[in-house]
């Protein structure tokens, strides 16, 4: 394996400007992500704040007892209790079989940046992955995409979930899941690693009860040797640590929302789109309703002075909601606005690893953090990685394509240019002339029909369309005959796009790590982790 660094634009304009640390972006953040002096400044800030280190470390240790572990994990737990330790943290939803590749890229980013900062700063730096188990969008986590017959095929986990359950609460049917996973791996195609991979998937599944368990077991088996710690935001015991913070959020919900909207207004006036959907009534808190077995977003109704759920299904006074926060915090959970705050109160965060969309929404939170007299951590863009297989690299060279252009937009334009170049121009001209003559003759026939019997005009039009369809059919057949002579070349274009820009999207947003584990073995992650990554904002192409 080797890394090729390329300068590519991010998936949104705001993130691209942030990668470049443009002057029009910097005012929306408290720190630059690529300045060692500001790392030192962040350390100084954290040293003057209090964090529930012992409580958080004890919770994580207990939570992680059921997952694969190592001496490195135990060392990270011990480090977390040290008063001078800090964390590099990031999170993602618990996708089945870990979801799209960017979840794996984020974990690699967290671990690698923690290692780098520990070397540079000389303090303990712990990698922490925050599983968004409180999320209730099941349809975002229940599927995997497969390459099947040169197209992208979506494989959804067959069990249905109708309520807005937290992912942490979704129980897996182990036999259903085992059959589904084995079928999926078989469809990758049999290799020397397939049988071992199936055993790996089955072993992790048998130790799991929920979607989050399955995700966490896979992740920790792959990354346990690098000291990774994990938390699940949907875990009821974890939220026992958050009750005072929940109370604070409820007490100051208006200020949180007002400062969010104020910051959004500033960003909007600077010409950037707003990413967090909010309004003046937003309470930025979910309530878990056991009666309906679902998570309900709360709003504050100023007329009744109450916190209400959708269609009034639940309603609380501020005092009642604070009582819930203190007595039963498992019934409450954060939204996109308050989750970063909660994370900041619990962990001494040296850096937050963010995807392009997260960079945008963190910028909208600056005034909210300032209201609580704390700063946002340095927001470090996660590593953007593309895995380049040797056969695909050969196809790119053979077709004389530019790799950076393919990664940005695929090879559709070049494929179309090639199709134009192999077209039989005489055939095209013959059919074009034939259709032109047909139109002219039918115009004359239509005029005559209009004089003799107007009722026949619909039949005439149908007859004309039929002939055009037959001409088009013959033209397509001849074009296909020409294409078939060049099928080997055309299939190379298809293979390149399927691997690097499936359905027009970046590879990391579509493909799953299990495809590569099947191709290259379960040691694939270890080989990735042996590479040296730079957090310089450039795109990492890893040649396999």
């Amino acid at each position: 394996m080797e890394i090729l660094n390329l300068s590519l634009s991010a998936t949104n304009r705001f993130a691209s400007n942030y990668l470049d640390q443009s002057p029009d972006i910097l005012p929306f953040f408290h720190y630059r992500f690529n300045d060692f002096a500001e790392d030192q400044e962040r350390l100084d800030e954290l040293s003057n704040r209090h964090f529930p280190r012992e409580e958080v470390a004890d919770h994580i240790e207990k939570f992680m007892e059921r997952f694969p572990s190592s001496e490195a994990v135990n060392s990270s737990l011990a480090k977390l209790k040290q008063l001078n330790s800090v964390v590099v943290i990031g999170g993602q939803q618990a996708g089945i079989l870990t979801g799209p590749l960017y979840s794996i890229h984020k974990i690699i980013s967290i671990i690698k940046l923690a290692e780098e900062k520990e070397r540079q700063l000389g303090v303990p730096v712990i990698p922490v992955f925050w599983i968004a188990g409180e999320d209730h969008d099941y349809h975002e986590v229940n599927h995997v995409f497969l390459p099947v017959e040169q197209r992208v095929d979506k494989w959804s986990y067959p069990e249905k979930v109708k309520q807005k359950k937290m992912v942490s609460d979704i129980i897996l049917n182990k036999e259903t899941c085992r059959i589904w996973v084995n079928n999926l791996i078989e469809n990758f195609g049999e290799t020397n690693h397939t049988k071992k991979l199936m055993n790996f998937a089955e072993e992790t599944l048998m130790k799991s009860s929920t979607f989050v368990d399955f995700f966490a077991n896979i992740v920790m088996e792959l990354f346990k040797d690098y000291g990774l710690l994990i938390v699940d935001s949907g875990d009821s015991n974890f939220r026992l640590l958050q009750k005072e913070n929940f109370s604070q959020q409820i007490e100051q919900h208006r200020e949180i929302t007002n400062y969010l909207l104020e910051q959004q207004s500033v960003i909007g006036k600077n010409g950037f789109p707003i990413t967090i959907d909010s309004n003046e009534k937003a309470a930025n808190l979910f309530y878990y309703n056991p009666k309906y077995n679902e998570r309900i977003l709360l709003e504050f109704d100023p007329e009744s002075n109450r916190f209400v759920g959708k269609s009034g299904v639940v309603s609380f006074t501020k005092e009642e909601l604070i009582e819930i926060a203190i007595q039963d915090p498992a019934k409450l959970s954060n939204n996109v606005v308050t989750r970063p705050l909660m994370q900041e109160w619990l962990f001494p965060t040296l850096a937050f690893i963010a995807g392009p969309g997260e960079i945008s929404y963190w910028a909208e939170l600056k005034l909210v953090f300032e209201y609580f007299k704390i700063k946002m951590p340095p927001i470090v863009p996660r590593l953007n990685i593309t895995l380049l297989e040797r056969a695909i690299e050969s196809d790119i060279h053979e077709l004389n394509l530019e790799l950076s252009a393919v990664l940005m937009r695929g090879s559709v334009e070049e494929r179309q240019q090639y199709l134009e170049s192999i077209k039989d121009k005489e055939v095209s001209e013959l059919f074009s002339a034939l259709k032109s003559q047909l139109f002219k003759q039918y115009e004359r026939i239509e005029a005559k029909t209009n004089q003799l019997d107007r009722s026949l005009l619909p039949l005439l039009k149908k007859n004309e369309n039929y002939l055009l369809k037959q001409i088009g059919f013959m033209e397509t057949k001849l074009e296909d005959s020409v294409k078939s002579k060049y099928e080997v070349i055309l299939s190379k274009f298809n293979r390149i796009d399927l691997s690097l820009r499936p359905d027009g999207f970046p590879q990391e947003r579509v493909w799953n790590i299990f495809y590569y584990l099947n191709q290259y073995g379960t040691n694939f992650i270890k080989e990735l982790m042996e590479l040296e990554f730079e957090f310089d904002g450039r795109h990492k192409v890893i040649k396999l």
Side-chain angles (χ1 to χ4, degrees):
M1 287 185 183
E2 63 173 302
I3 297 179
L4 175 65
N5 292 295
L6 297 177
S7 294
L8 302 181
S9 298
T11 53
N12 68 62
R13 184 167 60 92
F14 191 95
S16 289
N17 285 9
Y18 185 74
L19 287 172
D20 296 335
Q21 293 287 271
S22 301
D24 56 343
I25 289 291
L26 293 179
F28 305 137
F29 298 89
H30 288 117
Y31 296 99
R32 298 169 65 97
F33 75 86
N34 54 359
D35 189 327
F36 179 74
E38 300 212 357
D39 287 338
Q40 291 286 358
E41 185 182 330
R42 177 64 174 175
L43 277 181
D44 292 340
E45 183 205 348
L46 293 175
S47 68
N48 292 318
R49 289 170 52 196
H50 170 74
F51 298 93
R53 296 171 183 274
E54 289 279 346
E55 295 90 335
V56 170
D58 288 344
H59 165 76
I60 293 175
E61 184 173 16
K62 190 170 182 59
F63 171 72
M64 292 185 66
E65 281 177 353
R66 62 184 187 271
F67 303 120
S69 191
S70 67
E71 284 302 314
V73 169
N74 294 334
S75 175
S76 289
L77 287 166
K79 285 180 182 179
L80 189 55
K81 295 180 181 180
Q82 295 177 222
L83 290 178
N84 67 333
S85 69
V86 291
V87 307
V88 172
I89 195 167
Q92 202 66 50
Q93 295 159 300
I96 194 161
L97 294 180
T98 71
L101 280 169
Y102 59 69
S103 293
I104 297 296
H105 298 170
K106 187 169 282 187
I107 295 169
I108 293 172
S109 303
I110 291 167
I111 294 169
K112 284 294 183 179
L113 187 66
E115 292 174 348
E116 178 184 303
K117 294 303 178 186
E118 185 164 286
R119 287 194 303 270
Q120 290 176 348
L121 298 168
V123 297
V125 184
I126 304 111
V128 178
F129 188 79
W130 178 296
I131 303 170
E134 65 193 6
D135 201 280
H136 59 254
D137 198 337
Y138 173 67
H139 295 289
E140 284 192 13
V141 300
N142 75 335
H143 59 272
V144 171
F145 292 102
L146 275 71
V148 177
E149 297 178 355
Q150 295 202 336
R151 63 180 174 82
V152 177
D153 196 28
K154 183 178 181 180
W155 279 53
S156 294
Y157 179 67
E159 288 193 84
K160 306 296 182 187
V161 175
K162 294 181 180 178
Q163 300 104 332
K164 288 186 177 180
K165 280 186 176 183
M166 293 188 296
V167 175
S168 291
D169 292 337
I170 297 175
I171 305 298
L172 283 172
N173 180 308
K174 292 185 182 181
E175 184 58 20
T176 299
C177 191
R178 186 188 66 80
I179 294 169
W180 182 81
V181 169
N182 282 346
N183 286 340
L184 185 144
I185 293 173
E186 284 175 359
N187 272 272
F188 286 139
E190 188 168 356
T191 70
N192 293 334
H193 309 291
T194 302
K195 187 174 180 180
K196 186 177 179 181
L197 183 60
M198 284 183 171
N199 290 336
F200 167 78
E202 188 164 339
E203 286 170 9
T204 52
L205 174 61
M206 289 304 110
K207 293 185 286 186
S208 307
S209 300
T210 68
F211 259 71
V212 167
D213 286 346
F214 194 26
F215 177 91
N217 269 307
I218 294 172
V219 163
M220 288 311 302
E221 192 60 57
L222 294 175
F223 292 99
K224 64 184 178 184
D225 293 331
Y226 307 99
L228 181 68
L229 301 184
I230 56 174
V231 293
D232 172 18
S233 61
D235 185 275
S236 57
N237 292 317
F238 187 45
R239 276 176 294 176
L240 287 173
L241 302 178
Q242 304 171 28
K243 53 188 178 183
E244 290 179 8
N245 303 122
F246 278 136
S247 299
Q248 192 174 4
Q249 289 172 201
I250 295 163
E251 284 278 9
Q252 295 161 307
H253 69 95
R254 286 186 180 180
E255 289 82 0
I256 291 172
T257 298
N258 289 342
Y259 281 114
L260 168 71
L261 295 175
E262 184 180 336
Q263 182 73 2
Q264 287 182 329
S265 175
V266 173
I267 290 172
K269 286 175 182 174
N270 279 268
F272 295 106
I274 301 305
T275 56
I276 299 175
D277 184 18
S278 191
N279 60 66
E280 292 179 353
K281 291 185 177 182
N284 304 304
L285 203 62
F286 285 93
Y287 172 75
Y288 178 73
N289 190 334
K291 181 179 178 182
Y292 296 97
N293 200 23
E294 65 179 43
R295 194 167 168 244
I296 299 167
L297 183 64
L298 299 177
E299 287 192 337
F300 182 75
D301 177 22
E303 291 185 10
S304 64
N305 207 31
R306 296 178 73 88
F307 293 83
V308 296
K310 185 180 178 182
S311 304
V313 69
V314 292
S315 173
F316 308 99
T317 65
K318 183 170 73 173
E319 291 71 25
E320 288 170 341
L321 203 55
I322 290 174
E323 182 68 15
I324 292 170
I326 298 299
Q327 299 298 328
D328 197 2
K331 287 183 178 174
L332 300 180
S333 58
N334 294 292
N335 79 338
V336 67
V337 175
T338 50
R339 186 183 298 152
L341 269 177
M342 187 66 74
Q343 175 186 291
E344 187 65 19
W345 283 326
L346 294 173
F347 290 95
T349 305
L350 177 70
F352 177 79
I353 296 290
E358 289 171 307
I359 292 171
S360 298
Y361 81 65
W362 272 81
E364 297 171 25
L365 302 176
K366 185 182 181 186
L367 291 179
V368 176
F369 273 73
E370 289 179 357
Y371 171 72
F372 288 101
K373 295 181 171 48
I374 56 177
K375 291 183 178 181
M376 294 190 299
I379 309 301
V380 180
R382 69 164 167 79
L383 297 168
N384 283 296
I385 298 171
T386 295
L387 303 172
L388 180 61
E389 297 181 272
R390 190 173 300 171
I392 302 300
E393 185 180 14
S394 296
D395 289 343
I396 290 172
H397 287 315
E398 187 174 330
L399 298 178
N400 200 27
L401 301 176
E402 186 181 347
L403 178 59
S404 58
V406 172
L407 294 176
M408 287 297 295
R409 56 174 174 77
S411 66
V412 175
E413 289 181 21
E414 290 80 1
R415 185 178 188 276
Q416 192 56 42
Q417 290 169 5
Y418 181 74
L419 283 172
E420 289 296 322
S421 73
I422 62 174
K423 266 188 178 179
D424 189 309
K425 299 295 188 291
E426 185 179 359
V427 168
S428 187
E429 288 168 4
L430 283 170
F431 277 103
S432 181
L434 176 59
K435 283 184 274 190
S436 178
Q437 290 171 15
L438 184 72
F439 283 129
K440 288 178 182 177
Q441 292 300 321
Y442 263 86
E443 280 179 4
R444 295 175 62 188
I445 295 171
E446 184 177 351
K448 197 66 179 174
T449 304
N450 198 38
Q451 293 174 10
L452 298 175
D453 188 350
R454 296 189 65 186
S455 67
L456 292 175
L457 286 174
L459 182 62
L460 178 70
K461 196 65 182 174
K462 185 177 180 181
N463 180 251
E464 179 187 4
N465 289 336
Y466 176 77
L467 290 176
L468 284 170
K469 185 177 179 181
Q470 290 300 308
I471 292 169
F473 173 78
M474 197 62 227
E475 184 178 14
T476 300
K477 282 294 181 185
L478 284 172
E479 285 177 354
D480 288 345
S481 178
V482 173
K483 284 181 186 178
S484 67
K485 296 178 183 178
Y486 301 92
E487 188 58 40
V488 172
I489 299 295
L490 291 172
S491 66
K492 291 181 187 294
F493 282 105
N494 293 339
R495 276 203 304 269
I496 291 167
D497 282 350
L498 190 66
S499 177
L500 305 183
R501 290 288 299 188
D503 275 359
F505 294 100
Q507 178 195 83
E508 66 176 13
R509 301 198 69 82
V510 179
W511 298 138
N512 174 270
I513 191 63
F514 271 67
Y515 167 82
Y516 297 93
L517 297 178
N518 185 60
Q519 290 293 116
Y520 303 101
T522 50
N523 278 335
F524 181 67
I525 293 294
K526 183 180 178 183
E527 293 173 30
L528 284 178
M529 294 299 291
E530 288 172 353
L531 297 171
E532 294 293 328
F533 292 94
E534 291 181 75
F535 288 84
D536 54 7
R538 290 186 294 172
H539 194 96
K540 314 300 176 188
V541 178
I542 300 179
K543 297 183 178 184
L544 306 180

